[in-house]
Amino acid sequence: MIKKETKFEGGQMTNPTTQDFNFEFTRKMDPELYSQIQDLKDGEISEVLQDEDRINRIKFKILTVTDRIDDHEADFAKDYLKIQNLALQDKQIRAVEKWQKETIVDTYIKINGEYRDCDFRSNWLKK
């Protein structure tokens, strides 16, 4: 039985960060998931794992790694989507920084005393 969260995706887990099926295989991912799949090879199936959370009753999982890509230098052909997303994020950050730089000068901001000593990235205190 495929659980509700994955039934429309053929049982594949969706990465909550990127909304696709790819996971960066690092220690930044969910530690429990990482420990369950770290030694699996492509196509190898895990043992049956018992899982439980506050909402659902006990459930059983079987995990597999479908396509492991080892660490490598970025390759435009292989990593296009990742490079595209990084470029878009950079563009968005620069746009926000530009907007802040133009807008902060003319914007009144009251910062409570307890936060005045914070290290702000932008000139919110108008020093």
Side-chain angles (χ1 to χ4, degrees), residues 25 27 31 33-41 65 68:
F25 208 50
R27 295 189 187 276
L33 180 62
Y34 181 83
S35 68
Q36 293 169 347
I37 62 174
Q38 69 182 351
D39 295 327
L40 290 180
K41 294 177 180 35
V65 176
R68 181 185 303 251

Side-chain angles (χ1 to χ4, degrees), residues 32-78:
E32 183 179 340
L33 180 62
Y34 181 83
S35 68
Q36 293 169 347
I37 62 174
Q38 69 182 351
D39 295 327
L40 290 180
K41 294 177 180 35
D42 282 1
E44 191 175 23
I45 298 172
S46 72
E47 295 179 18
V48 177
L49 305 163
Q50 183 174 332
D51 194 14
E52 183 176 359
D53 59 32
R54 289 182 226 157
I55 299 168
N56 300 311
R57 296 187 300 243
I58 295 174
K59 53 188 166 189
F60 299 91
K61 303 188 289 189
I62 299 173
L63 303 172
T64 187
V65 176
T66 54
D67 185 21
R68 181 185 303 251
I69 300 172
D70 293 325
D71 287 344
H72 62 281
E73 283 192 33
D75 178 337
F76 193 75
K78 291 180 185 175

Side-chain angles (χ1 to χ4, degrees), residues 16-31:
T17 306
T18 61
Q19 300 304 313
D20 62 14
F21 302 119
N22 300 318
F23 288 83
E24 284 196 38
F25 208 50
T26 66
R27 295 189 187 276
K28 291 181 201 172
M29 73 186 311
D30 175 16

